[in-house]
Amino acid sequence: MIDTLINWFATVQAWLFETVVQPLMFHAGFSEYLEDAFDGTEWFLIGVCELILLFLILRPLEAWIPVHAFNDKRARWIDFLYTVLYRLGAFSVLVFFMIDPLMAKATELLHLEGINPFNLENLLPGISDKPLVTFLLYLLVLDLCEYCYHRAQHSLGWLWGLHSLHHSQQNMNLWSDDRNHLLDGVIHDVVMALVALAIGVEPAQYVLLVSITRMLQSLQHANVRIHFGRLGDALLVSPRFHRWHHAIGIGHESKGQGTLGGHNFGVLFSFWDILFRSAYFGKSFEHTGIRDQLATASRPARDYGSGFWSQQWLGLKRMVEFSRKRSR
């Protein structure tokens, strides 16, 4: 069954490349990039498959066991736009392949100086002979880096100015994982690509790692009443566990906006939160958003933008505003 699906995928990739991509590349005068374009066709198709699976599996679940009714149906469509941009544009994978030649050149120069860069193969000789073990180790290392980066997004003022766009969604849904400022997305993908290349992740493995991570994060953000039980939630981030991170005025803001006092920063594995004492296993499904979206007698509600471009522009303004506040 799996071999059949792989063969179908390869057939579609070859057809799309030969029928559409290759002629366009020749017409545009980019024939020297045909190999990269073939890889790009694979990333595009993986993104299409992800979108189809998410719609067929998670969308019915949101209709069957929703957490809350939406008060802004347009918000879901804006998030879907982000998902199409990130999944079909393959930001994460594209950055990895752009940085790969630079890292290879740097490694070559270091070898000439007698310096061997760190990777898991140097630390654990022979590990590459066990693909499944290697894959799981890469997944653990990268997820730990994801946890650290996520905490940085909530502790560095300028980075929170960008990341707060993600948390401003009060109608969190299966597409909300990709609701991120483009600059934040680029910074994140560069950091993760550098880490992946530094520990020796192969390109094919990285594509699979990114795809698995994205699919699970879509589940975490879905508007569904799902958890994995006491033990499961202590291992993997469930929709309920992650909803507490997004809980307005409770989760990420438990000790003030933009602080490390929040809960549940784990991206895939929740045991990082247990290890670093940032876990909170709430039993309810809370409303999501940011405290300053709610107007008070002393201040008006902050506007995070209702459309793609307004959200991007306001994110840059917050980045400058919050970085100035932290520097005082």
Side-chain angles (χ1 to χ4, degrees), residues 54-305:
L54 291 174
F55 187 81
L56 292 178
I57 298 173
L58 293 184
R59 188 65 187 88
L61 283 175
E62 287 193 326
W64 181 35
I65 48 173
V67 176
H68 302 295
F70 288 175
N71 56 30
D72 180 9
K73 298 293 179 65
R74 183 171 179 266
R76 189 204 299 270
W77 285 104
I78 297 297
D79 287 0
F80 179 70
L81 174 62
Y82 278 102
T83 300
V84 170
L85 178 65
Y86 276 95
R87 303 291 171 101
L88 300 190
F91 271 34
S92 301
V93 179
L94 179 62
V95 170
F96 179 90
F97 280 88
M98 289 176 63
I99 294 177
D100 189 20
L102 299 178
M103 289 289 287
K105 185 65 176 178
T107 301
E108 181 183 341
L109 293 175
L110 289 173
H111 278 311
L112 292 175
E113 297 296 328
I115 302 173
N116 294 317
F118 169 83
N119 60 51
L120 289 182
E121 177 65 23
N122 293 338
L123 184 64
L124 301 168
I127 193 175
S128 58
D129 298 332
K130 303 173 181 177
L132 180 58
V133 175
T134 305
F135 182 83
L136 291 176
L137 281 175
Y138 286 151
L139 191 63
L140 280 172
V141 173
L142 289 175
D143 195 58
L144 175 58
C145 293
E146 289 273 20
Y147 174 88
C148 295
Y149 183 84
H150 194 185
R151 292 199 71 159
Q153 288 175 308
H154 288 265
S155 60
L156 302 176
W158 66 273
L159 204 48
W160 168 250
L162 299 173
H163 184 58
S164 54
L165 167 62
H166 178 68
H167 280 268
S168 66
Q169 177 57 284
Q170 295 176 293
N171 295 274
M172 199 163 75
N173 61 87
L174 71 99
W175 311 116
S176 296
D177 171 49
D178 293 303
R179 179 192 175 96
N180 295 296
H181 197 280
L182 295 180
L183 179 56
D184 189 17
V186 169
I187 295 170
H188 166 270
D189 291 344
V190 167
V191 170
M192 297 311 299
L194 287 172
V195 172
L197 289 165
I199 63 176
V201 178
E202 296 295 328
Q205 290 174 315
Y206 192 71
V207 172
L208 184 57
L209 286 164
V210 168
S211 184
I212 290 175
T213 300
R214 293 192 308 201
M215 293 290 283
L216 290 174
Q217 285 182 295
S218 293
L219 170 62
Q220 296 162 12
H221 290 83
N223 183 43
V224 292
R225 290 185 174 274
I226 290 178
H227 63 88
F228 302 149
R230 186 172 182 179
L231 179 59
D233 277 3
L235 295 174
L236 287 172
V237 176
S238 70
R240 185 176 70 180
F241 184 86
H242 193 65
R243 182 168 281 267
W244 269 96
H245 174 67
H246 280 262
I248 187 168
I250 304 172
H252 59 102
E253 299 174 309
S254 61
K255 290 186 180 180
Q257 179 180 309
T259 73
L260 280 174
H263 305 302
N264 304 0
F265 296 97
V267 175
L268 290 186
F269 300 115
S270 50
F271 52 70
W272 300 124
D273 283 293
I274 297 174
L275 180 62
F276 296 110
R277 300 184 178 183
S278 57
Y280 183 80
F281 296 95
K283 302 295 184 182
S284 59
F285 290 83
E286 300 295 323
H287 286 278
T288 63
I290 303 176
R291 198 194 314 264
D292 62 13
Q293 288 177 295
L294 306 177
T296 65
S298 60
R299 59 161 176 77
R302 180 185 287 274
D303 180 19
Y304 284 84

Side-chain angles (χ1 to χ4, degrees), residues 7-75:
N7 290 334
W8 283 353
F9 186 92
T11 300
V12 173
Q13 180 185 359
W15 175 85
L16 181 62
F17 177 75
E18 294 171 3
T19 307
V20 179
V21 178
Q22 186 170 261
L24 287 175
M25 295 292 288
F26 277 123
H27 182 73
F30 295 143
S31 57
E32 67 268 29
Y33 300 110
L34 283 177
E35 184 176 347
D36 294 330
F38 185 77
D39 292 335
T41 306
E42 178 186 13
W43 312 333
F44 174 82
L45 287 176
I46 289 174
V48 170
C49 291
E50 288 181 18
L51 292 178
I52 293 173
L53 286 173
L54 291 174
F55 187 81
L56 292 178
I57 298 173
L58 293 184
R59 188 65 187 88
L61 283 175
E62 287 193 326
W64 181 35
I65 48 173
V67 176
H68 302 295
F70 288 175
N71 56 30
D72 180 9
K73 298 293 179 65
R74 183 171 179 266

Side-chain angles (χ1 to χ4, degrees), residues 82 158 160-165 168 179 181 301-322:
Y82 278 102
W158 66 273
W160 168 250
L162 299 173
H163 184 58
S164 54
L165 167 62
S168 66
R179 179 192 175 96
H181 197 280
R302 180 185 287 274
D303 180 19
Y304 284 84
S306 59
F308 178 84
W309 292 113
S310 63
Q311 290 170 358
Q312 295 298 305
W313 171 242
L314 290 171
L316 293 175
K317 291 179 68 174
R318 287 192 306 275
M319 180 183 69
V320 175
E321 174 191 344
F322 294 159

